Amino acid sequence: MFNIDRRSLLKGSTALALGAALSPADLLGYAKAWAADMKFTPEAGAELRLLRWKRFIQSEEDAFLALIDAFSKATGVKVTVESEFMDDIQPKASVAANVGSGPDLIWGLYSTAHLFPDKLIDLTDVADHLGSQYGGWVPAAETYGKGDGDNWINIPICFGGNYLNYRNSMIEKAGFKEVPQDLDGFLEMSKALKANGTPMGMALGHASGDGNAWTHWALWAHDAYVVDENDKVILDSPEAVKACEYVKALYDTWIPGTASWNDGSNNKAFLAGEVSVTNNGISIYQKALTENMTDISEDMDHAFYPVGVSGEPTELHVAWSLMAFKYSKYPNACKALFEFILSKPQYDDWLVGSVAYLTHPLNGYDNNPIWTSDPKRTIYRDCAKRTLTAGGKGSVGERAAAALADFIVVDMLASAATGQTTPEEAVQQATRKAKRIYRG
Amino acid sequence: MVDAAPGNDAVVSASFWTRLNENRTVLGLWFMLPAAAFLIFFLAYPLGLGMWLSLTDAKIGRAGEFIGFENFTWLWGDSVFWLSVFNTLLYTVVASVIKFAIGLYLALLLNNNIAFKAFIRAIVLLPFIVPTVLSAIAFWWIFDSQFSILSWALIELGIIDQNIDFLGTPNNARASVIFANIWRGVPFVAITLLAGLQTVPQSLYEAATIDGASKWDMFRHITYPLLTPIIAVVMTFSVLFTFTDFQLIYAMTRGGPVNATHLMATLSYQRAILGGNLGEGAAISTAMIPFLLSAIMFSWFGLQRRKWQQGESDD
């Protein structure tokens, strides 16, 4: 019924090259062809439960569910997908790990797996297989994927990019053809935009996504880090003070109110034309496109964050990691699902569905049509390659996650920027909090 | 032999058992057992567990070890914790006092014979009926830094020329969340006091009118003393609800800007659940208990004093 030969595979790739999603029949065809030759064979009668975070973009979830559906039909493994609010995933995963029952697979944040590495199925063979098939893993994926040793305890199946969103017309009016890629130039642009009455604005409130993303860039761009390679707190430094001073200078030229912004505030302000530059995933652009706000979608574009004193990118993008639990009765089915999700062409199809909101961790997907079909999405392709991991120089895992959840860097920069404390005091207070989290 | 021995034992134990069960005290204990079990499992156990956790370094998903008062010593030197204590006290005191004043005023108004009384009483309850998270989101829009309807209206009226930064500066943010809490809490106070007012016998007012008492005298010497027990209950609950508020803050500011609106409850959640440090979060929650206990003590032993209820001064 579904005879997949080289010719129809090529046909499928052409359809993808145009950025169109695979039809369910095509997808099932590929799934069956894959199943005939899969590396990890599911146990007979296997059933899986997968818990994931609630989608941010409908087309991404549609594509993901279509992918899972094709897997079920091709392998006979029934997969139930449940979704929960993002913040609830980690507590649920912890409980599942401790009581030894719950979903077979949980798709959460990069840090979750590092809370209970010994409760998870060793995925090294899956990771090695996929890495060899698809051009190798990006370094950040490897850092997040491996536990303390060399074994993979989870696989970051995608990253969520966060870059500068800007209005072409507004920065041009301020005298800039593109967003300057150095710190001084960026500050100059911010001043010029303010002078024109079209200020910038990025979240300085407790915005776990956008706030953490740009503030860590700002800190790291000044070569200041919360911890060193051995997780020793090294925040109290002249570099960190400089980062505070820089952010204060930026903040002074911004639209008022950014200290109260959460993850949604900048989207609203940008779409309403209130700010000229902010930081975000692809969702602002996507919303402008789907709601026909052509004055915004045609006028906006995305840019990398400026490169700081080290000369290397110092960006922070989120990694979304999938893990499988040892208590699962069907470990091979879990591995098969990993293999299927991250294989061509279905992973390609999912990337197309997620419209650049999600980025691949395997180099072999650089040619996915979503990255070139619309040049405004292209830079999100590189976020997984450019990102540092959540701990900066230090380890990933619960301490890095706790530091992010407690908004140590956000609050430090915000209290210096709003003038509640001097930059020096802000750094000292943040150091104290960091030392607590990284104690012993 | 095999049969006889247990038989003898049964006679002895049965008589002891029967005697025991005929004892009124023991019987009373039996009858209290269901209620006690309920209280122990659902109230005492979680409370005890929370206090135990505060003495450990438990993380989410890991039991943690006993570390004595380390969490509390750390919090003692933590400026954010003290800021949250200050915020919580400010939030509770200001909001409760204003809620009481407005609530009492509304109750007195609604106790009069006014047109559409039932309808108006129902409307007053509205803020209390709306789920907190929904009203918090509505307030979040009302106080938005760019799209606030208040700022917009004032700008259109020509009173101000740029948006008010409601949630972006510490004091504005505190005032805004307190306002939202008052809006939400007034109906509870008003309706409960209204119920209390209706228990005051009309004859007392008639007698006072004959004696030539003024409106204020009647309030001071009849209404207020007879309302005191209700006030004690209402204000105890109101203070407890306000002190432990979470949803409004979490939906509106998440404790920002720079922790200026963090209450102890929201800080506890941030550290325990989001940050994973269950022990420290539990310590923050445990630190709320003395405040809550003293609020309860004040209400029950203070406001309920018989002399106060009879309108006499304390001696």
Side-chain angles (χ1 to χ4, degrees):
Chain A
M1 276 107 303
F2 291 98
N3 290 322
I4 297 290
D5 54 17
R6 180 168 279 277
R7 185 178 308 225
S8 54
L9 266 171
L10 280 173
K11 220 172 99 195
S13 321
T14 330
L16 273 172
L18 298 170
L22 287 173
S23 75
D26 280 346
L27 186 55
L28 184 56
Y30 286 113
K32 290 204 165 166
W34 168 85
D37 195 24
M38 59 189 163
K39 185 165 162 54
F40 304 94
T41 315
E43 297 81 355
E47 282 183 24
L48 297 177
R49 271 173 69 204
L50 187 156
L51 174 66
R52 65 163 288 177
W53 40 276
K54 245 188 202 108
R55 48 131 182 86
F56 295 96
I57 287 189
Q58 185 64 48
S59 59
E60 178 274 312
E61 189 184 55
D62 294 344
F64 184 74
L65 292 179
L67 184 157
I68 295 290
D69 189 47
F71 174 79
S72 291
K73 284 185 179 141
T75 59
V77 177
K78 189 177 162 227
V79 183
T80 319
V81 178
E82 299 155 17
S83 41
E84 290 275 359
F85 178 54
M86 202 177 79
D87 285 348
D88 295 338
I89 298 280
Q90 181 163 316
K92 293 213 165 178
S94 297
V95 171
N98 274 289
V99 302
S101 98
D104 303 88
L105 298 131
I106 295 188
W107 184 18
L109 265 179
Y110 59 87
S111 56
T112 316
H114 298 266
L115 298 178
F116 33 75
D118 49 336
K119 311 272 179 173
L120 300 170
I121 295 177
D122 184 349
L123 297 169
T124 312
D125 47 357
V126 185
D128 287 347
H129 172 66
L130 288 166
S132 66
Q133 293 264 305
Y134 298 106
W137 298 93
V138 298
E142 219 162 303
T143 312
Y144 283 129
K146 290 178 178 173
D148 287 337
D150 240 4
N151 290 344
W152 289 67
I153 53 169
N154 67 143
I155 293 183
I157 55 174
C158 56
F159 284 77
N162 183 297
Y163 278 120
L164 295 171
N165 290 220
Y166 65 95
R167 296 283 297 270
N168 271 311
S169 59
M170 293 179 182
I171 68 162
E172 254 173 51
K173 216 174 133 209
F176 294 83
K177 280 213 143 40
E178 51 193 26
V179 175
Q181 287 298 297
D182 62 298
L183 293 172
D184 291 337
F186 190 61
L187 179 58
E188 286 313 310
M189 182 181 77
S190 184
K191 287 179 181 162
L193 285 165
K194 158 114 172 162
N196 274 354
T198 54
M200 292 181 39
M202 303 201 257
L204 254 185
H206 285 176
S208 47
D210 297 335
N212 273 323
W214 84 264
T215 53
H216 281 80
W217 155 76
L219 180 73
W220 296 340
H222 288 84
D223 216 15
Y225 288 86
V226 177
V227 291
D228 66 7
E229 292 78 1
N230 303 316
D231 279 353
K232 182 169 169 276
V233 176
I234 51 164
L235 184 59
D236 197 355
S237 62
E239 289 82 10
V241 174
K242 266 192 200 138
C244 289
E245 287 164 352
Y246 180 77
V247 169
K248 179 165 173 47
L250 274 180
Y251 176 82
D252 288 342
T253 63
W254 284 357
I255 191 166
T258 51
S260 71
W261 278 12
N262 64 17
D263 280 299
S265 310
N266 58 337
N267 298 44
K268 287 187 299 172
F270 192 91
L271 285 166
E274 299 267 331
V275 290
S276 51
V277 181
T278 190
N279 70 313
N280 209 63
I282 201 74
S283 50
I284 291 181
Y285 180 58
Q286 192 59 24
K287 185 161 172 123
L289 280 182
T290 49
E291 303 198 354
N292 287 321
M293 304 161 84
T294 45
D295 53 327
I296 304 271
S297 63
E298 285 171 9
D299 186 35
M300 75 177 285
D301 207 341
H302 303 103
F304 292 130
Y305 290 96
V307 171
V309 291
S310 71
E312 298 287 326
T314 53
E315 297 162 6
L316 175 62
H317 305 284
V318 175
W320 302 103
S321 236
L322 185 63
M323 67 209 75
F325 289 81
K326 276 185 185 159
Y327 58 68
S328 169
K329 283 189 242 155
Y330 310 108
N332 282 335
C334 293
K335 288 184 178 182
L337 185 61
F338 272 100
E339 186 195 346
F340 182 73
I341 290 177
L342 282 152
S343 294
K344 273 179 194 279
Q346 54 272 12
Y347 189 81
D348 267 326
D349 193 42
W350 181 36
L351 277 184
V352 169
S354 67
V355 294
Y357 189 76
L358 302 178
T359 301
H360 51 274
L362 285 157
N363 294 314
Y365 289 99
D366 280 351
N367 296 327
N368 184 284
I370 197 70
W371 306 125
T372 41
S373 59
D374 178 349
K376 291 183 181 179
R377 301 188 203 270
T378 304
I379 68 164
Y380 287 89
R381 175 189 62 201
D382 302 329
C383 79
K385 291 196 185 71
R386 290 170 68 97
T387 187
L388 302 188
T389 48
K393 290 182 173 176
S395 67
V396 295
E398 72 181 316
R399 297 195 285 192
L404 285 176
D406 212 20
F407 299 105
I408 289 189
V409 173
V410 174
D411 280 353
M412 174 182 84
L413 295 174
S415 74
T418 56
Q420 282 193 41
T421 59
T422 64
E424 289 79 8
E425 285 165 356
V427 171
Q428 277 156 18
Q429 284 174 7
T431 304
R432 189 173 177 276
K433 282 199 261 177
K435 279 191 173 152
R436 162 82 170 173
I437 288 175
Y438 281 94
R439 73 191 148 154
Chain B
M1 278 303 284
V2 178
D3 284 346
N8 287 338
D9 276 357
V11 172
V12 176
S13 67
S15 70
F16 175 69
W17 187 238
T18 319
R19 255 187 303 129
L20 196 66
N21 277 341
E22 277 169 4
N23 182 317
R24 290 178 69 87
T25 321
V26 174
L27 214 54
L29 284 176
W30 274 118
F31 283 127
M32 281 196 292
L33 199 63
F38 191 84
L39 289 175
I40 288 168
F41 279 117
F42 294 104
L43 291 171
Y45 173 69
L47 187 69
L49 184 63
M51 285 158 80
W52 163 249
L53 280 177
S54 71
L55 303 175
T56 70
D57 60 355
K59 300 264 160 95
I60 282 192
R62 231 174 311 129
E65 286 175 17
F66 180 76
I67 52 165
F69 289 95
E70 203 273 351
N71 284 319
F72 293 95
T73 7
W74 146 260
L75 288 173
W76 190 265
D78 180 18
S79 58
V80 177
F81 169 72
W82 286 113
L83 184 63
S84 79
V85 173
F86 167 77
N87 289 335
T88 311
L89 291 175
L90 180 84
Y91 187 75
T92 309
V93 171
V94 175
S96 299
V97 167
I98 299 181
K99 274 191 278 194
F100 174 66
I102 300 179
L104 182 61
Y105 177 68
L106 269 181
L108 291 171
L109 276 186
L110 292 175
N111 198 34
N112 291 334
N113 281 319
I114 45 172
F116 309 111
K117 196 152 90 178
F119 181 67
I120 292 174
R121 283 181 186 177
I123 286 190
V124 167
L125 261 181
L126 265 184
F128 198 59
I129 296 166
V130 181
T132 313
V133 169
L134 279 188
S135 48
I137 290 173
F139 273 107
W140 178 56
W141 274 101
I142 291 172
F143 294 132
D144 190 275
S145 51
Q146 269 72 46
F147 306 101
S148 162
I149 186 159
L150 294 176
S151 295
W152 177 84
L154 291 172
I155 289 174
E156 291 293 306
L157 288 171
I159 296 172
I160 54 172
D161 54 10
Q162 64 168 39
N163 285 335
I164 301 172
D165 193 0
F166 284 108
L167 299 177
T169 58
N171 287 336
N172 279 0
R174 287 184 188 126
S176 304
V177 291
I178 288 175
F179 181 86
N181 181 276
I182 292 170
W183 177 85
R184 178 161 170 76
V186 159
F188 171 70
V189 179
I191 294 295
T192 323
L193 291 184
L194 179 62
L197 281 178
Q198 297 185 342
T199 64
V200 178
Q202 207 56 37
S203 55
L204 292 177
Y205 292 113
E206 285 160 13
T209 315
I210 293 166
D211 289 344
S214 68
K215 282 254 177 205
W216 169 250
D217 288 333
M218 282 196 260
F219 173 75
R220 173 69 189 83
H221 296 290
I222 299 172
T223 316
Y224 178 70
L226 288 177
L227 213 51
T228 316
I230 300 279
I231 292 176
V233 176
V234 171
M235 288 321 289
T236 307
F237 278 105
S238 178
V239 166
L240 295 189
F241 290 154
T242 318
F243 196 90
T244 55
D245 196 9
F246 174 84
Q247 299 178 71
L248 269 179
I249 301 289
Y250 202 70
M252 283 174 71
T253 65
R254 299 220 161 184
V258 205
N259 306 314
T261 58
H262 248 316
L263 301 184
M264 293 166 87
T266 52
L267 187 67
S268 166
Y269 178 77
Q270 180 179 305
R271 298 248 167 108
I273 306 298
L274 302 178
N277 288 313
L278 272 186
E280 191 180 326
I284 299 174
S285 300
T286 306
M288 294 167 75
I289 295 175
F291 292 102
L292 294 172
L293 272 183
S294 52
I296 296 172
M297 300 288 176
F298 177 77
S299 301
W300 290 96
F301 294 112
L303 289 179
Q304 279 210 317
R305 290 177 72 139
R306 188 154 297 199
K307 287 200 166 173
W308 285 21
Q309 285 182 35
Q310 289 166 351
E312 292 173 24
S313 61
D314 199 6
D315 49 18

